[in-house]
């Protein structure tokens, strides 16, 4: 029997711990190659090899996961707030304090 851990995100969203961890690994993998000060969307950070096979729902969920990870300081990115009614950011940048682990 396999145990499935569910993570409660925002606005009634949830995902499996496995989905969150796979997404987090993808974001952490690219972090050392991200230049300071440049704005990126999640598809740009993940790359097409990871992003394209995701369903529309999984892409939405990945966006919610990114907010979750950033707000808990679990990835070396910060979000760039956008104006308007939708509070979810669309662009991210590497934190100025980020230094690549050797």
């Amino acid at each position: 029997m396999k145990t499935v851990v569910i993570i409660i995100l925002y606005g009634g969203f949830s995902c499996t711990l496995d989905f969150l961890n796979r997404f987090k690994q993808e974001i952490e993998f690219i972090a050392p190659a991200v230049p300071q000060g440049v704005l990126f969307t999640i598809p740009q950070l993940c790359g097409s090899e990871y992003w394209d096979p995701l369903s529309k729902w999984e892409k939405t969920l990945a966006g919610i996961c990114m907010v979750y990870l950033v707000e808990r300081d679990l990835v070396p990115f910060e979000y760039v707030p956008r104006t308007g009614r939708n509070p979810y950011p669309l662009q991210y940048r590497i934190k100025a304090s980020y230094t690549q682990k050797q």
Side-chain angles (χ1 to χ4, degrees):
M1 179 187 238
K2 182 179 178 183
T3 301
V4 176
V5 177
I6 302 295
I7 303 297
I8 305 301
L9 303 168
Y10 300 105
F13 290 95
S14 63
C15 70
T16 64
L17 181 60
D18 183 54
F19 183 89
L20 182 68
N21 284 339
R22 281 184 286 129
F23 178 74
K24 183 176 181 254
Q25 286 176 333
E26 198 66 31
I27 295 300
E28 290 174 331
F29 177 76
I30 194 63
V34 175
Q36 290 284 339
V38 179
L39 303 182
F40 290 93
T41 63
I42 296 171
Q44 290 170 324
L45 288 172
C46 291
S48 61
E49 193 173 307
Y50 175 85
W51 190 256
D52 291 349
L54 296 178
S55 69
K56 184 176 179 181
W57 169 246
E58 289 171 325
K59 290 174 181 177
T60 299
L61 198 53
I64 301 295
C65 286
M66 185 67 165
V67 172
Y68 177 89
L69 294 169
V70 167
E71 289 191 349
R72 283 167 176 71
D73 202 26
L74 298 173
V75 291
F77 290 90
E78 59 189 10
Y79 60 82
V80 178
R82 67 179 179 175
T83 58
R85 294 179 359 162
N86 188 335
Y88 298 110
L90 294 177
Q91 294 182 318
Y92 297 83
R93 65 180 157 236
I94 198 85
K95 289 181 181 178
S97 62
Y98 174 71
T99 55
Q100 182 179 350
K101 295 177 185 175
Q102 299 297 341

